[in-house]
Amino acid sequence: MTRRELLAAAGALCASTTWAAKTKLDKSRISAITDEIGLSTEEAIAFAHHYGLTNVEIRNIPGKKEYFTLTEAEIKADADLFAKEGLKVSFVNTSLLKFTWPGMEPARRRQETPEARERRLAAEKARFERRADDAMKALRCAQIMGCDKVRVFAGTRVEDPKSVFQQVADELGELSKVAEREKVYLLLENEGSQNVATSQELADIMKMIPSKWVGYNWDPHNAYGRETSYPDGYAALPKERMLNLQVKGKGVMPDSKEKEDWKAIMTALGNDGYPGKIGLETHLFDGTLITAAHKSMDEILRIVSEL
């Protein structure tokens, strides 16, 4: 059986599986984005081994380009390396659709000259026009990595996001047809700069996208300051479509002023039968990234050990 056939079989199984009554969250369910746990692929692998992880998420080769923009040979080289090291790629993070779409005016306007605005609009228009090609590259990247989940976004946030929800739903609906053909799920992430930023907005948009090949990646800390992630945000979510979950360093480190109640969230996930992975996205750019990654993973595994 080829890798593609295996992915198709796994996708069919996943699609037919609902959340169980209860499940066990343990180290086998924990992952981490490689470019935020090491300054090189080798360092990221060493980090994963240090903690006994069997899963990693990918986005960029540390310090370099996004994986999905690389040649297939370059992607395969790291896919083979991860496999050799006993690591499964659980999620492919991409920047797909994370920009201002034509016809949408960002709520936060940039300070820019008319010339700079014109250049930006032209670049965003070109990016929008190649969205199908970029999506296909991302899906292919996932297939090479032996993964069936790819992250997407909902366009730069406008003043009234609900006014563009139908456009977002239509766009993801079109891309879902390609995702279904390729047997790779598109996971919409809630992100503060985007038209879908909160748990409630995830719930609202999911109702408008019936395809089972579109789920979501929940990042509670991305809605920090907009909602209380638990219990309010969690309660609003359509649980059956949560296919990945991410933890920010600021949301989990013991000494953080923005700490989320991750023990309560993970307890609820286990009780509700969440079947997916939980990935660390350290996301600190003040020179403490790797130190913060260790502090964050230490805390994540401590919480998991107490569940």
Side-chain angles (χ1 to χ4, degrees), residues 259-286:
K259 192 175 180 184
E260 308 275 2
D261 192 350
W262 273 105
K263 186 167 186 180
I265 294 172
M266 291 188 191
T267 297
L269 289 167
N271 289 339
D272 290 340
Y274 171 62
K277 301 295 190 295
I278 298 172
L280 169 64
E281 183 181 17
T282 316
H283 222 60
L284 282 163
F285 308 109
D286 57 359

Side-chain angles (χ1 to χ4, degrees), residues 224-292:
Y224 185 80
R226 296 176 187 263
E227 67 181 9
T228 301
S229 60
Y230 187 87
D232 301 349
Y234 184 79
L237 294 167
K239 309 295 189 300
E240 72 283 357
R241 297 183 74 174
M242 185 193 301
L243 300 182
N244 197 64
L245 179 71
Q246 287 180 334
V247 181
K248 286 286 196 299
K250 283 186 177 180
V252 75
M253 287 190 296
D255 55 351
S256 174
K257 295 179 181 178
E258 299 180 12
K259 192 175 180 184
E260 308 275 2
D261 192 350
W262 273 105
K263 186 167 186 180
I265 294 172
M266 291 188 191
T267 297
L269 289 167
N271 289 339
D272 290 340
Y274 171 62
K277 301 295 190 295
I278 298 172
L280 169 64
E281 183 181 17
T282 316
H283 222 60
L284 282 163
F285 308 109
D286 57 359
T288 66
L289 181 67
I290 304 307
T291 299

Side-chain angles (χ1 to χ4, degrees), residues 65-134:
K65 294 181 179 180
E66 287 188 75
Y67 269 100
F68 88 93
T69 67
L70 303 176
T71 66
E72 291 197 2
E74 289 172 313
I75 296 168
K76 189 174 186 304
D78 272 17
D80 290 345
L81 180 57
F82 291 135
K84 178 184 175 183
E85 294 291 336
L87 295 171
K88 170 104 171 62
V89 175
S90 59
F91 190 33
V92 177
N93 292 268
T94 78
S95 60
L96 286 174
L97 298 175
K98 193 180 184 183
F99 54 89
T100 303
W101 298 6
M104 293 187 186
E105 187 64 40
R108 288 187 176 183
R109 299 191 180 184
R110 305 182 188 185
Q111 293 292 328
E112 57 187 352
T113 64
E115 294 78 11
R117 175 180 168 81
E118 190 173 328
R119 287 195 300 271
R120 174 177 61 80
L121 291 175
E124 290 168 343
K125 181 174 183 289
R127 195 172 176 186
F128 189 77
E129 289 174 348
R130 69 170 189 266
R131 65 196 183 282
D133 291 339
D134 283 347

